Amino acid sequence: MTDIGVGALRQGARRGAGRIGAATPPGRDRAVDALRATAVLGVVLGHWLVTALVSDGRALRTASPPQDMPWLAPVSWMFQTLAVFFLVEGHVATRGHASARARGVPYHRWLTARLSGLFKPVAAVLTLWTVAAVALLLSGTEFGTVRTLVKQALSPMWFLVVFAGLTAATPLLTRLNPLWPLAVVLHVDLVRFGLGGPSWLGWVNVAAAWTVPYTLGAAWTRGELERRRAGWVLLGAGAAATAALVAWAGYPASMVGVPGESMSNLDPPTLAVVTFGLAQCGLALLLRERLRRAMRRPVAWAAVALVNLSVMTIFLWHQTALMATTAIGLLAGRLPGLHTPPDGLGWVGFRLLWLPVFALALATCWTAFRSFERGGGRGHRSRVVRAHRPSDRAAAAKARHV
């Protein structure tokens, strides 16, 4: 490409970024959008790095890089960002519900607007994989391979059930102290691991664990987390508690599930993943002002805005992008980092080289299916949060774009 062509592309990108910035309401809290985008992209990259499919002849089976390379545990610390996502969504939902009540919008209309962006994207994913599974089976693909592909592609669905449940319960969680769900997680783990209780009890934590950051988001809305001290307390206490649980209580260091381990921090969630999430939330709160300044740059803000417009599309289709790349790659043979066992630094190096290919496949999915992610209400479409000012309650009550 010539210098003239590159210059034209850059100029076009700047113009596009300028238009996005000009269309952004001046009261928008861009740090919220930046945190949401970071959280979602962290989960996407984490899945792409720790999900491995190994080719054994004609079949594909799952493998876990952290199982063979325990030193990859810090990768899970970097990319296990669900707590930050629930922090942001708790903040957005509680502000949105308060705004809806102030404007006389009934609960059912507010909830429909909040969740309408989920139904069509989920239906699109389920429809495509139903058709794909039938087509693969009819073409002679082994059942085990089809099951592996479908299971991995649809694995993000559990998250949406929790997200929808917490959103529906927002009026009940608006003033709930985060210590209550934290206490539930603590007692569930105490019964399971300390007293030999039934393992099924751990599934209580699927709701309780993610309620902790969600209610922290509500506390943010109430203005209780505006001081930097709150962020430092969460970061310090969460990090210290996590270190103690891993060092002395036998919790795994990895914040994702590792096959073969006697305990998983994520399946179902444990106290360790919750305390780690508290530390992440504290760090997120401390970074708010820096993110607000960074988002004044037109190109950076345009990138974050585009991610936020398609959060659910990106989340729902990122595993499909990985599965499609892996399956199509088999046509070229057994490719390193894509079909080989994750057993060393060589695999990590090749997997990093595959990330742009996964991103290209995800971009293709985004182009094809982004139209399904449409909100049913004005507030949901805009995904806007006005900058919070605890002292100005009247202005907060009049906020229209949450």
Side-chain angles (χ1 to χ4, degrees), residues 293-328:
R293 290 195 296 270
M295 290 302 104
R296 293 172 189 164
R297 300 172 183 172
V299 174
W301 169 240
V304 166
L306 289 174
V307 170
N308 274 272
L309 287 171
S310 304
V311 162
M312 285 302 158
T313 301
I314 293 170
F315 184 83
L316 285 170
W317 290 97
H318 75 276
Q319 285 292 79
T320 295
L322 172 60
M323 298 304 110
T325 304
T326 304
I328 294 172

Side-chain angles (χ1 to χ4, degrees), residues 53 60 129 136 145-154 323 327:
L53 297 177
L60 287 172
W129 274 102
L136 288 170
T145 296
V146 176
R147 180 180 61 185
T148 296
L149 292 172
V150 173
K151 181 180 178 181
Q152 292 297 321
L154 301 184
M323 298 304 110

Side-chain angles (χ1 to χ4, degrees), residues 36-49:
R36 183 194 284 114
T38 300
V40 170
L41 294 179
V43 171
V44 169
L45 288 174
H47 281 165
W48 286 350
L49 289 171

Side-chain angles (χ1 to χ4, degrees), residues 111-112 114-125 164 316 372 374:
L111 183 63
T112 301
R114 284 286 298 164
L115 297 182
S116 60
L118 293 180
F119 302 135
K120 286 185 178 180
V122 168
V125 173
L316 285 170
F372 287 91
R374 299 188 185 279

Side-chain angles (χ1 to χ4, degrees), residues 119-146:
F119 302 135
K120 286 185 178 180
V122 168
V125 173
L126 293 177
T127 300
L128 181 138
W129 274 102
T130 300
V131 173
V134 172
L136 288 170
L137 291 172
L138 292 177
S139 68
T141 306
E142 291 191 5
F143 176 78
T145 296
V146 176

Side-chain angles (χ1 to χ4, degrees), residues 203-393:
W203 295 106
V204 173
N205 284 351
V206 174
W210 303 118
T211 302
V212 175
Y214 196 87
T215 50
L216 273 176
W220 179 0
T221 299
R222 297 193 299 268
E224 297 173 7
L225 304 179
E226 288 302 306
R227 293 185 178 182
R228 290 183 62 82
R229 178 183 176 185
W232 283 114
V233 169
L234 286 170
L235 175 60
T242 305
L245 290 170
V246 171
W248 296 306
Y251 284 82
S254 175
M255 293 300 149
V256 297
V258 180
E261 292 279 352
S262 59
M263 183 190 304
S264 168
N265 274 326
L266 197 59
D267 190 24
T270 64
L271 181 62
V273 84
V274 174
T275 56
F276 181 78
L278 291 176
Q280 284 186 317
C281 290
L283 180 60
L285 294 171
L286 290 171
L287 291 175
R288 284 176 296 182
E289 285 304 321
R290 288 190 179 184
L291 288 172
R292 286 169 185 145
R293 290 195 296 270
M295 290 302 104
R296 293 172 189 164
R297 300 172 183 172
V299 174
W301 169 240
V304 166
L306 289 174
V307 170
N308 274 272
L309 287 171
S310 304
V311 162
M312 285 302 158
T313 301
I314 293 170
F315 184 83
L316 285 170
W317 290 97
H318 75 276
Q319 285 292 79
T320 295
L322 172 60
M323 298 304 110
T325 304
T326 304
I328 294 172
L330 281 174
L331 299 176
R334 198 164 180 260
L335 301 175
L338 195 62
H339 308 115
T340 53
D343 53 6
L345 275 175
W347 183 91
V348 174
F350 280 113
R351 176 49 64 103
L352 291 175
L353 294 177
W354 280 107
L355 293 182
V357 182
F358 299 156
L360 180 61
L362 178 56
T364 303
C365 294
W366 176 82
T367 301
F369 298 103
R370 62 191 173 97
S371 61
F372 287 91
E373 187 173 354
R374 299 188 185 279
R378 176 185 176 186
H380 185 81
R381 284 197 304 270
S382 62
R383 293 183 181 275
V384 171
V385 178
R386 291 189 179 275
H388 182 51
R389 296 291 181 267
S391 61
D392 192 356
R393 299 191 178 215

